[in-house]
Amino acid sequence: MTVVRAADVRPRPWANGGGTTRELAVADDGAWRVSLADVDRDGPFSTFAGRQRLLTLVEGPVLDLQVDGDAHVVEPQRPFAFPGDAITVASVPEGPVRVLNVVVDPGVVRPYVTVLELGRSSTFPLGVDQAAYVVSGARDGLETGSLVLGPGEVGGRCTVAVVTLERVS
């Protein structure tokens, strides 16, 4: 099991300079990446032509998005999917937020994110096509802000965003 701690990954500016991101995991073939983005001001998102995006608000109260002119309110721990090449403008009306961002080549991978709350004695197994971001809580050396790459497991009283990257056949 591989664990990536966000605190150990240096933030980099977005391609458009509007925020910062920490790349937590990326496929060898470039078919997907999982990153953690800090959005601390209103402005446009970078575009990813030919890609699909799935973001989950993991810190902060709310993120407002305009995606190709349509308004969306992204609430904590509720995954939101949209085309990577859409013109997307973010607003942080109640302050800065942090989002778990999954970007995929939709011809190769279908992404899913499920947020789970685990009990004190619970464990959740991860397959080779899964990762779990610890949103809150910690146990056995894992801490909030850790990404656990499968195969492996997460457990204990915590909230995790489980990312599944299903290969398209």
Side-chain angles (χ1 to χ4, degrees):
M1 165 170 90
T2 302
V3 177
V4 179
R5 290 173 178 77
D8 296 339
V9 178
R10 172 175 276 158
R12 297 185 321 204
W14 291 354
N16 72 3
T20 60
T21 191
R22 289 174 166 84
E23 191 170 89
L24 303 179
V26 62
D28 292 338
D29 64 0
W32 57 265
R33 78 174 201 166
V34 178
S35 62
L36 200 58
D38 292 316
V39 185
D40 59 4
R41 62 185 175 271
D42 298 350
F45 272 13
S46 298
T47 58
F48 293 93
R51 299 292 172 144
Q52 180 70 26
R53 295 178 72 159
L54 180 58
L55 66 81
T56 305
L57 184 61
V58 295
E59 287 181 36
V62 67
L63 175 65
D64 290 343
L65 292 180
Q66 289 282 329
V67 180
D68 283 340
D70 293 329
H72 301 275
V73 177
V74 181
E75 296 177 329
Q77 302 177 16
R78 296 186 182 239
F80 178 74
F82 60 102
D85 53 4
I87 303 301
T88 305
V89 180
S91 175
V92 287
E94 297 179 34
V97 299
R98 179 171 276 180
V99 296
L100 183 67
N101 197 25
V102 180
V103 179
V104 303
D105 177 341
V108 179
V109 176
R110 277 191 292 266
Y112 303 92
V113 173
T114 305
V115 178
L116 303 172
E117 291 186 32
L118 302 178
R120 183 176 352 153
S121 60
S122 299
T123 60
F124 185 84
L126 298 170
V128 296
D129 62 345
Q130 293 181 306
Y133 178 80
V134 181
V135 177
S136 64
R139 187 180 106 173
D140 299 333
L142 296 180
E143 59 192 40
T144 299
S146 297
L147 182 72
V148 180
L149 300 168
E153 69 179 29
V154 291
R157 183 168 291 167
C158 61
T159 302
V160 292
V162 178
V163 177
T164 302
L165 299 161
E166 179 181 271
R167 289 280 172 169
V168 175
S169 8

